C-alpha cells in the first residue's frame, strides 16, 4: 500500500503526464457490477486501489479523466452492501474496516471541497447512504456503526432535503432518554425556594419574555418521531428551574456548588435516596446506546455545518443538547463510591458518557450559529447556553474524573464554546461572561494538581480561553476586561487568618495564589500588551517589596518568576522596574554570607539565589529583542557581576564562585549578539575586565592546560571551604570544580568579549585600579605576598611553562590575576568555534580571535615581565587554534 500511495502522490503532481498510470490504478478497483450485486468478496488489493484513487482525487481536483470520480462514486453507492461481513476480505476485522472508512471518507471529503462539481454528485445520493446505515439497526456485524463513526470524523456534502430526513432519523434511532434531573424530584417548596436564591459569585439581570424563559425541562427523548415532535411543542411551556432560573424577568446565575446541594437535596435530608435513583437512571443506559448517541450528536453537528435545517427541527436539536448539558453537571457530581459498577466497567461507562457530553456540547454551540444576531430570543438562548456551559465546566473541575483525558477534552470543548459565545453579537455578552469566568478561573487555580512545572490540560484551557476573550474584547470594551484582570491580580493580596483555618485550608490558599500568579504571567506572555503588564506588575512588585512576598517563601519565588517573564517581553518601563528589583534582591543575599542569620534562612532563600533569580536574569536576556534594551541590560548585568565579585571576594570559602557562577548563563546570553571587534566604551570594557578578573580569581573558567584530568562537576555550597591556592592551580589544570553550565557560559562569553585593553592602556600598569577589585583586608589583596605567589604559579602553569615563576617577581598579585584572566580569555577563544568571534555571517579578518590577541602586544612601554607573559599568551592561543583544527571536538 505504501508504494501505491507514493505512486498516487507522484501522479497527482502531473496527472496528464501519467494518465495511463491513473487508468491502471482504476482498473485494479472492484468492477461496478460486483459492487452493486454484492456477489463477490472485495480483495485487499482492490480496497487499496480504491483508497489510492480517493487520495488522488483529494490532491488533484481538476482531472479531465472521469474514470477516477466514477470509481469513487460507484464505491460510495455500494457502502450499504459493505455492511455485510462477506463484502470484506476474510482477514479484515473491525479495526481494519474502521481504518479503511476513516481514510476513504477523509479523502472523499477533501475531494468534494476541492471540486464543487464532484461534491454535488456525491451529495445527490450521500443522504440515502447515511440513512441506510442509520436504519441498519439489526446489523449484527456492527459494520454500519463503524461506517457512521468514521463518517462522524469526515462528513461529505448532502442535499438540504436529505438533511431533515437524516436529523429526524438520527433522533428516532439513536437518541435515547435523558435521565430525569433530581431537581424534578425535589418537593415544590424546596424547588421554589431554591430558585429564588442567587449565587454569591455573580448575578446578572436582564428583562425577558416569561414565555421564552430558559428552563430545566424534564423532557425525555426516545426513539419515536412523535416524542421528537412533542419536544418543540413543550419549549414554550417549560418551567423556570435549574442553573438559570427566572425570577420576575431576571436571570439568576447559580454556581455548580450551589446546585449540588439543591439538586441532590442535601439540605433537606432526602439526598441519599435521590442520589441512588439518579445513579440507577444513568446505569440503565447501555454503553452501546451511549455510543449511538455520540455518533448521532456528531453527525447532526456535521449536518448543521453543511446545510441549514428548518427552525422547528433546529429547536428540537437545541433542546436535546440543552438537556444533555444539564444532565452533564449532575453526572459529574456523582462520587465514585456511589456507583454500583466499579473497575473497568465503570471507567468504560464514564469515558463513553463524557464523550457523549462532549459531542452534545459542540452540537449545542453549532445550533446557535443560525440565530438572529439582534433578536432578544437569541440573547436569551446565548445567555442560557453560557450558564449551562460554565456550570458544566465547573462540574468538570470538581469531578473525581477530572484527570481522565476525556474529561480534560470535554472541559476544553466547554471553554471553547464559552469563548465563542463571548465573541458573538459584537461582544455584547462580554460583561456577563467575565463575571462568571472569574470564579471558574479561580476554581481551576484551586486544584492542587495544577502546581508544578506543568499545570495540566484544564489550566491550559482556561488560560487559552481567557486570552481569546481578552484579545477579542480589547478594542471593544476595555472596562470589564480591566475589572476581570485586576480581580485576578488582587486575589494574591487577600489576607487570610491562617490561625483559624484547619490544616487542609492552610494549603489551599497558597496554591490558589501561586497558580493565579502563573496564570497571569502566562496571560501576559500570550497577549503581549504593555497595558496589561502595567496593570499587573505594580501589584506584584508591591507584594515583593512590602507585602507577603517580601520574605522568603513559595509566593516570593513564583512572583519573581512571573515578573521576570513579564520583563522579558521588552516593555521598557516594566523591564527597568523588574531588573532593578531583581538586582537589588540578588545583591541583598551577599550581606548574609557567613553570618549567624544565614544558618536560619528558609530553604526558599537559597532557592531564590541559586535558581529563581538566575533563571529570571537568563529569561530576560533571552527575551529582549530591542537593541537599546539589550545594550542597557548587558551593562546592568556586567555591573552586577562586578558588584557581586567585589562583595564576595573577601569572604571565606567558595562564596565568590557560588554567587558569580549562577549569573554567567544570563551574561552569556546577553553577550551572544555582541560584536567584540567594534569600538567599545571604556566603561563597558572595564566591566568586561572586572568579570574576567573574577572568573580567573574564583576559578570559573574551563581548564586550559593540556592533558588535563577528566572534567567533572562539583557541588557548590557556601559551606564548602577550600584552599585558594589549590583553587587557582586547579582552575588551570582541572578538573572543573563547578556547575558545567557555568563553564559553557564562560566559553560563550569569550566569543563576545573585546580585548581587555583601552586606548590609554593606563590601567595595565595602574596598581591602584587593579587593587580596587579587591576588598580592603582581603586575603588575596596586594599586600598578601603568599596570594601573589599563588597567582604567579597559576599564571605560569596557564602559559605552559614558557615564563618561569622566578621571572615574574616584579608582577604583583593583582596584575598576575589580571594576566591570568587574559590568558583564560584568549586561549578559550581559540578552543571553541575555531576562534571565530560574534558578529555578522561573513567571515573576515576582523572576526578572527587573532585580531584581539595581538592588541595586547601593541601596548607601549610595558614591563619586560608583563610583555613576556603577553607574548606567551599569544603563543598558547595559537597552539590552541592549531589543536582545534586538528581535532574540532576538543
Amino acid at each position: 500500500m505504501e508504494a501505491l500511495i507514493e505512486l498516487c502522490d507522484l501522479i497527482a503532481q502531473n496527472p496528464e503526464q501519467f494518465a495511463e498510470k491513473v487508468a491502471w490504478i482504476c482498473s485494479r478497483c472492484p468492477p461496478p457490477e460486483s459492487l452493486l450485486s454484492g456477489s463477490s468478496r472485495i480483495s485487499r488489493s482492490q480496497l487499496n486501489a480504491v483508497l489510492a484513487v480517493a487520495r488522488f482525487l483529494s490532491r488533484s481536483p481538476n482531472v479531465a479523466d472521469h474514470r477516477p470520480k466514477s470509481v469513487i462514486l460507484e464505491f460510495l453507492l455500494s457502502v450499504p452492501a459493505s455492511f455485510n461481513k462477506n463484502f470484506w476480505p476474510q482477514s479484515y476485522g473491525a479495526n481494519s474496516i474502521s481504518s479503511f472508512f476513516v481514510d476513504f471518507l477523509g479523502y472523499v471529503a477533501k475531494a468534494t471541497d476541492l471540486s464543487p462539481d464532484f461534491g454535488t454528485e456525491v451529495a445527490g445520493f450521500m443522504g440515502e447512504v447515511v440513512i441506510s446505515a442509520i436504519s441498519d439497526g439489526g446489523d449484527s456485524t456492527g459494520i454500519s456503526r463503524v461506517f457512521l463513526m468514521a463518517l462522524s470524523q469526515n462528513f461529505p456534502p448532502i442535499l438540504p432535503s436529505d438533511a431533515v430526513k437524516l436529523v429526524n432519523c438520527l433522533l428516532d434511532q439513536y437518541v435515547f432518554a435523558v435521565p430525569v434531573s433530581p431537581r424534578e424530584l425535589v418537593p415544590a417548596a424546596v424547588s421554589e425556594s431554591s430558585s429564588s436564591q442567587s449565587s454569591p459569585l455573580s448575578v446578572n439581570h436582564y428583562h425577558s419574555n416569561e414565555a421564552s424563559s430558559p428552563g430545566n425541562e424534564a423532557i425525555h427523548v426516545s426513539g419515536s418521531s412523535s416524542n421528537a415532535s412533542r419536544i418543540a411543542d413543550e419549549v414554550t411551556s417549560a418551567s423556570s428551574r435549574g442553573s438559570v432560573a427566572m425570577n420576575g424577568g431576571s436571570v439568576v446565575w447559580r454556581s455548580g456548588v450551589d446546585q449540588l446541594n439543591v439538586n441532590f437535596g442535601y439540605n433537606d435530608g432526602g439526598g441519599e435516596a435521590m442520589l441512588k435513583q439518579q445513579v440507577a437512571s444513568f446505569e440503565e443506559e447501555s454503553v452501546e446506546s451511549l455510543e449511538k448517541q455520540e455518533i448521532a450528536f456528531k453527525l447532526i453537528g456535521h449536518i448543521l455545518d453543511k446545510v441549514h435545517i428548518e427552525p422547528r427541527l433546529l429547536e428540537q436539536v437545541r433542546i436535546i443538547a440543552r438537556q444533555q448539558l444539564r444532565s452533564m453537571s449532575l453526572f459529574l457530581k456523582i462520587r465514585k463510591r456511589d456507583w454500583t459498577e466499579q473497575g473497568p466497567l465503570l471507567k468504560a461507562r464514564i469515558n463513553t458518557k463524557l464523550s457523549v457530553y462532549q459531542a452534545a456540547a459542540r452540537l449545542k454551540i453549532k445550533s446557535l450559529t443560525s440565530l438572529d444576531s439582534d433578536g432578544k430570543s437569541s440573547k436569551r438562548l446565548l445567555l442560557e447556553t453560557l450558564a449551562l456551559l460554565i456550570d458544566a465546566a465547573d462540574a468538570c473541575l470538581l469531578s473525581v474524573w477530572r484527570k481522565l483525558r476525556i474529561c480534560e477534552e470535554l472541559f476544553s470543548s466547554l471553554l471553547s464554546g464559552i469563548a465563542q459565545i463571548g465573541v458573538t453579537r459584537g461582544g455584547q455578552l462580554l460583561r456577563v461572561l467575565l463575571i462568571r469566568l472569574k470564579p471558574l478561573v479561580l476554581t481551576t487555580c484551586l486544584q492542587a494538581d495544577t502546581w508544578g512545572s506543568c499545570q495540566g490540560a484544564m489550566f491550559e484551557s482556561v488560560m487559552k480561553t481567557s486570552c481569546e476573550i481578552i484579545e477579542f474584547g480589547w478594542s471593544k470594551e476595555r472596562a470589564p476586561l480591566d475589572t476581570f484582570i485586576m480581580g485576578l491580580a488582587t486575589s494574591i493580596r487577600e489576607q487570610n487568618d491562617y490561625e483559624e483555618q484547619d490544616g487542609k485550608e492552610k494549603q489551599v490558599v497558597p496554591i490558589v495564589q501561586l497558580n493565579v500568579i502563573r496564570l497571569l504571567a502566562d496571560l501576559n506572555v500570550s497577549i503581549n500588551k504593555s497595558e496589561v503588564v502595567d496593570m499587573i506588575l505594580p501589584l506584584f512588585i508591591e507584594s515583593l517589596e512590602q507585602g507577603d512576598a517580601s520574605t522568603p517563601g513559595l509566593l516570593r519565588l513564583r512572583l519573581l518568576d512571573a515578573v521576570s517573564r513579564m520583563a522579558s517581553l521588552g516593555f521598557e518601563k516594566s523591564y527597568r522596574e523588574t531588573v532593578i528589583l531583581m538586582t537589588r534582591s540578588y545583591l541583598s543575599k551577599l550581606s548574609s554570607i557567613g553570618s549567624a542569620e544565614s544558618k536560619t534562612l528558609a530553604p526558599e532563600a537559597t532557592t531564590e539565589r541559586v535558581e529563581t533569580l538566575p533563571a529570571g536574569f537568563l529569561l530576560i536576556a533571552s527575551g529582549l529583542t530591542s537593541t537599546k534594551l539589550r545594550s542597557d541590560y548587558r551593562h546592568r548585568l556586567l555591573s552586577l557581576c562586578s558588584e557581586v565579585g567585589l562583595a564576595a571576594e573577601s569572604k571565606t570559602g567558595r562564596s565568590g564562585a557560588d554567587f558569580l557562577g549562577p549569573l554567567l548563563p544570563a551574561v552569556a546570553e546577553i553577550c551572544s549578539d555582541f560584536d567584540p571587534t567594534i569600538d567599545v566604551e571604556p566603561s563597558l570594557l572595564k566591566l568586561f575586565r572586572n568579570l574576567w578578573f573574577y572568573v580567573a580569581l574564583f576559578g570559573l573558567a574551563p581548564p586550559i592546560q593540556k592533558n588535563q584530568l577528566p572534567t567533572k562537576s562539583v557541588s557548590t555550597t557556601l559551606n564548602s571551604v577550600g584552599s585558594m591556592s589549590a583553587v587557582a592551580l586547579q582552575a588551570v589544570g582541572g578538573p572543573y570544580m563547578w556547575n558545567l553550565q557555568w563553564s559553557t557560559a564562560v566559553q560563550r562569553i569569550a566569543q563576545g568579549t573585546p580585548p581587555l585593553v583601552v586606548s590609554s592602556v593606563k590601567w595595565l600598569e595602574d596598581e591602584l585600579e587593579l587593587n580596587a577589585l579587591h576588598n580592603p583586608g582581603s586575603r588575596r589583596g596586594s599586600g598578601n605576598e603568599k596570594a601573589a605567589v599563588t597567582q604567579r604559579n597559576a599564571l605560569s602553569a596557564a602559559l605552559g611553562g614558557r615564563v618561569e615563576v622566578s621571572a615574574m617577581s616584579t608582577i604583583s598579585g593583582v596584575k598576575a590575576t589580571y594576566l591570568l584572566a587574559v590568558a583564560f580569555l584568549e586561549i578559550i577563544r581559540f578552543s571553541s568555534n575555531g576562534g571565530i568571534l560574534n558578529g555578522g555571517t561573513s567571515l573576515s579578518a576582523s572576526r578572527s580571535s587573532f585580531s584581539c590577541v595581538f592588541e595586547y602586544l601593541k601596548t607601549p612601554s610595558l614591563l619586560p615581565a608583563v610583555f613576556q607573559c603577553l607574548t606567551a599568551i599569544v603563543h598558547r592561543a595559537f597552539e590552541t587554534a592549531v589543536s582545534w583544527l586538528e581535532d574540532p571536538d576538543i
Side-chain angles (χ1 to χ4, degrees):
M1 181 60 188
E2 289 76 12
L4 196 58
I5 287 177
E6 291 181 9
L7 175 61
C8 167
D9 292 345
L10 180 63
I11 296 172
Q13 295 176 9
N14 195 344
E16 291 78 10
Q17 182 178 350
F18 299 100
E20 71 283 358
K21 298 295 183 182
V22 176
W24 176 79
I25 297 176
C26 291
S27 68
R28 295 175 59 85
C29 295
E33 55 274 11
S34 65
L35 284 175
L36 295 176
S37 64
S39 57
S40 61
R41 190 183 296 270
I42 304 300
S43 68
R44 181 184 294 269
S45 62
Q46 288 176 325
L47 291 175
N48 289 341
V50 170
L51 280 181
V53 173
R55 183 182 177 94
F56 169 73
L57 289 178
S58 71
R59 294 171 175 244
S60 302
N62 301 315
V63 182
D65 187 359
H66 294 288
R67 179 59 181 160
K69 293 182 180 179
S70 298
V71 167
I72 300 306
L73 292 173
E74 290 161 359
F75 192 88
L76 279 171
L77 284 168
S78 71
V79 165
S82 73
F83 301 154
N84 190 321
K85 181 65 177 176
N86 294 330
F87 180 91
W88 301 92
Q90 290 184 348
S91 60
Y92 260 47
N95 291 335
S96 298
I97 296 173
S98 174
S99 177
F100 172 83
F101 275 136
V102 168
D103 293 341
F104 176 69
L105 292 173
Y107 295 143
V108 171
K110 187 173 182 181
T112 57
D113 290 338
L114 294 177
S115 174
D117 291 339
F118 181 60
T120 300
E121 292 185 77
V122 171
F125 62 84
M126 197 65 207
E128 294 300 326
V129 172
V130 179
I131 288 176
S132 68
I134 298 171
S135 303
D136 193 32
D139 173 24
S140 59
T141 64
I143 296 176
S144 61
R145 191 187 308 176
V146 169
F147 169 75
L148 290 173
M149 291 178 67
L151 198 66
S152 68
Q153 299 181 42
N154 298 287
F155 196 86
I158 59 172
L159 297 176
S161 58
D162 289 337
V164 176
K165 297 177 185 178
L166 277 175
V167 173
N168 279 316
C169 189
L170 286 167
L171 295 181
D172 289 343
Q173 298 290 330
Y174 278 15
V175 179
F176 296 88
V178 177
V180 179
S181 165
R183 179 90 179 194
E184 303 302 324
L185 305 177
V186 179
V190 175
S191 179
E192 291 174 3
S193 62
S194 62
S195 68
S196 63
Q197 300 170 5
S198 63
S199 166
L201 295 176
S202 57
V203 178
N204 180 69
H205 299 277
Y206 77 98
H207 295 288
S208 174
N209 190 335
E210 182 67 26
S212 60
S213 63
N216 226 5
E217 307 93 300
I219 298 175
H220 305 273
V221 183
S222 63
S224 167
S225 60
S226 60
N227 282 339
S229 301
R230 181 172 56 84
I231 294 173
D233 297 331
E234 294 184 4
V235 175
T236 57
S237 61
S239 58
S240 302
R241 297 189 297 267
S243 58
V244 183
M246 300 298 296
N247 289 321
S250 65
V251 174
V252 178
W253 301 73
R254 187 177 305 284
S255 71
V257 176
D258 293 334
Q259 282 202 101
L260 180 61
N261 293 334
V262 175
N263 288 338
F264 281 162
Y266 290 158
N267 294 335
D268 62 0
E272 194 64 29
M274 295 180 194
L275 175 60
K276 290 181 179 180
Q277 183 173 347
Q278 183 70 26
V279 171
S281 65
F282 279 121
E283 290 183 337
E284 288 176 0
E285 299 177 296
S286 67
V287 173
E288 180 182 357
S289 69
L290 292 175
E291 291 174 347
K292 289 184 176 181
Q293 289 180 47
E294 179 186 2
I295 292 172
F297 292 143
K298 287 183 175 180
L299 291 179
I300 294 174
H302 282 298
I303 293 171
L304 295 183
D305 286 337
K306 300 290 183 181
V307 296
H308 292 288
I309 62 176
E310 60 184 34
R312 183 182 179 86
L313 184 58
L314 181 60
E315 187 62 23
Q316 294 179 28
V317 171
R318 288 180 186 141
I319 294 173
I320 293 170
R322 181 175 59 194
Q323 277 297 109
Q324 289 288 339
L325 288 177
R326 283 201 299 271
S327 171
M328 184 195 314
S329 297
L330 301 174
F331 181 86
L332 289 168
K333 291 167 187 172
I334 299 175
R335 297 161 296 190
K336 188 175 181 179
R337 65 176 182 269
D338 293 326
W339 292 95
T340 57
E341 293 178 334
Q342 294 297 327
L345 290 176
L346 177 59
K347 188 172 182 181
R349 173 178 297 280
I350 297 299
N351 276 285
T352 309
K353 186 66 174 177
L354 294 184
S355 296
V356 173
Y357 286 141
Q358 183 179 22
R362 290 174 174 171
L363 178 59
K364 178 64 174 176
I365 298 301
K366 289 182 179 181
S367 70
L368 301 176
T369 56
S370 61
L371 291 176
D372 179 10
S373 59
D374 298 323
K376 291 183 178 180
S377 61
S378 67
K379 183 176 181 180
R380 173 186 62 79
L381 288 173
L382 289 170
L383 286 170
E384 173 199 274
T385 305
L386 181 61
L388 291 173
L389 292 175
I390 291 180
D391 278 344
D394 190 63
C396 283
L397 285 170
L398 301 175
S399 172
V400 295
W401 309 107
R402 64 178 174 272
K403 293 185 179 180
L404 292 179
R405 179 185 294 273
I406 182 59
C407 192
E408 293 175 341
E409 293 175 354
L410 170 60
F411 183 77
S412 177
S413 297
L414 294 170
L415 288 186
S416 176
I418 290 170
Q420 289 182 48
I421 292 177
V423 302
T424 57
R425 300 171 66 97
Q428 294 180 18
L429 306 182
L430 269 181
R431 191 176 297 273
V432 176
L433 168 59
L434 292 172
I435 290 174
R436 283 301 305 272
L437 185 61
K438 178 187 171 184
L440 184 65
V441 171
L442 293 177
T443 302
T444 306
C445 293
L446 179 65
Q447 303 304 315
D449 54 6
T450 62
W451 168 249
S453 58
C454 179
Q455 278 63 45
M458 290 185 172
F459 186 94
E460 294 300 321
S461 296
V462 165
M463 196 278 290
K464 178 183 177 182
T465 300
S466 299
C467 288
E468 290 176 0
I469 293 171
I470 292 173
E471 289 174 347
F472 169 80
W474 194 254
S475 60
K476 298 182 181 299
E477 192 173 6
R478 281 281 303 278
L481 292 177
D482 291 349
T483 302
F484 171 72
I485 296 171
M486 287 299 296
L488 293 176
T490 54
S491 66
I492 69 166
R493 302 167 58 188
E494 296 176 357
Q495 301 295 321
N496 298 278
D497 187 0
Y498 296 107
E499 298 298 328
E500 297 180 2
Q501 297 179 350
D502 59 28
K504 180 179 179 180
E505 290 176 329
K506 291 179 184 178
Q507 297 300 318
V508 168
V509 174
I511 288 171
V512 173
Q513 293 176 333
L514 295 171
N515 288 322
V516 168
I517 294 168
R518 173 64 65 87
L519 177 72
L520 290 170
D522 290 346
L523 280 174
N524 274 283
V525 172
S526 179
I527 297 171
N528 197 18
K529 295 184 183 296
S530 60
E531 297 92 338
V532 180
V533 175
D534 291 342
M535 272 194 288
I536 297 173
L537 187 67
L539 297 176
F540 284 8
I541 290 182
E542 178 187 353
S543 183
L544 284 166
E545 292 183 332
Q546 303 174 7
D548 295 339
S550 59
T551 56
L554 291 176
L555 183 62
R556 180 173 178 82
L557 296 181
R558 180 51 60 86
L559 280 172
L560 286 171
D561 173 73
V563 297
S564 63
R565 293 180 66 191
M566 286 187 267
S568 69
L569 297 176
F571 303 120
E572 187 165 350
K573 179 183 177 182
S574 57
Y575 152 76
R576 293 186 185 279
E577 291 178 354
T578 301
V579 172
I580 291 172
L581 169 71
M582 294 173 64
T583 301
R584 189 163 55 241
S585 298
Y586 198 85
L587 288 173
S588 68
K589 302 296 183 293
L590 278 78
S591 61
S592 61
I593 298 178
S595 65
E597 178 188 354
S598 63
K599 300 178 181 180
T600 60
L601 285 176
E604 290 82 3
T606 302
T607 302
E608 177 182 339
R609 177 185 64 82
V610 176
E611 298 178 16
T612 308
L613 285 173
F617 284 125
L618 176 58
L619 183 63
I620 296 172
S622 303
L624 292 179
T625 57
S626 164
T627 302
K628 174 185 176 183
L629 293 186
R630 288 189 67 83
S631 176
D632 177 81
Y633 192 51
R634 187 179 302 116
H635 198 282
R636 288 177 184 272
L637 270 186
L638 290 173
S639 297
L640 175 60
C641 289
S642 292
E643 295 182 60
V644 167
L646 182 61
E649 185 271 333
S650 63
K651 304 292 183 179
T652 59
R654 299 176 175 182
S655 59
D658 278 328
F659 274 92
L660 184 59
L663 298 174
L664 295 178
V667 176
E669 182 61 35
I670 200 62
C671 292
S672 62
D673 60 342
F674 184 70
D675 186 352
T677 64
I678 62 174
D679 291 334
V680 182
E681 293 182 0
S683 61
L684 181 61
L685 183 59
K686 290 185 179 183
L687 290 177
F688 273 109
R689 177 206 64 188
N690 297 352
L691 172 65
W692 281 96
F693 184 91
Y694 292 123
V695 164
L697 189 65
F698 300 144
L700 285 165
I704 57 176
Q705 197 175 51
K706 289 184 178 180
N707 303 320
Q708 57 183 270
L709 297 174
T711 302
K712 65 178 181 179
S713 179
V714 178
S715 175
T716 60
T717 62
L718 292 178
N719 294 325
S720 57
V721 180
S723 167
M724 296 315 300
S725 61
V727 167
L729 289 173
Q730 188 173 351
V732 174
Y736 193 67
M737 297 175 288
W738 315 110
N739 189 316
L740 292 179
Q741 290 182 340
W742 302 352
S743 172
T744 303
V746 171
Q747 290 178 311
R748 292 183 63 198
I749 295 170
Q751 306 306 312
T753 301
L756 302 181
V757 294
V758 292
S759 57
S760 67
V761 300
K762 176 184 177 183
W763 49 269
L764 274 175
E765 296 296 313
D766 193 340
E767 298 289 330
L768 181 62
E769 187 163 357
L770 290 174
N771 284 334
L773 299 177
H774 284 298
N775 266 313
S778 167
R779 296 185 306 153
R780 290 165 290 185
S782 59
N784 191 325
E785 183 57 29
K786 182 180 179 180
V789 172
T790 297
Q791 297 305 94
R792 293 184 199 124
N793 287 333
L795 176 59
S796 178
L799 300 179
R802 281 188 170 81
V803 181
E804 297 292 336
V805 176
S806 59
M808 301 180 183
S809 59
T810 58
I811 299 178
S812 65
V814 291
K815 191 164 294 182
T817 303
Y818 160 74
L819 291 172
L820 181 60
V822 173
F824 274 118
L825 168 61
E826 300 304 335
I827 294 172
I828 289 172
R829 286 192 206 271
F830 288 96
S831 66
S832 59
N833 201 32
I836 303 301
L837 304 173
N838 291 344
T841 56
S842 61
L843 296 177
S844 62
S846 64
R847 290 193 60 208
S848 169
S849 295
F850 284 108
S851 65
C852 293
V853 74
F854 287 132
E855 288 295 317
Y856 302 93
L857 301 181
K858 297 178 182 179
T859 304
S861 304
L862 288 173
L863 288 176
V866 172
F867 185 81
Q868 189 178 4
C869 289
L870 292 173
T871 303
I873 290 173
V874 173
H875 284 284
R876 282 284 287 114
F878 183 75
E879 288 177 356
T880 304
V882 173
S883 299
W884 186 90
L885 291 172
E886 294 175 349
D887 184 6
D889 294 329
I890 64 171

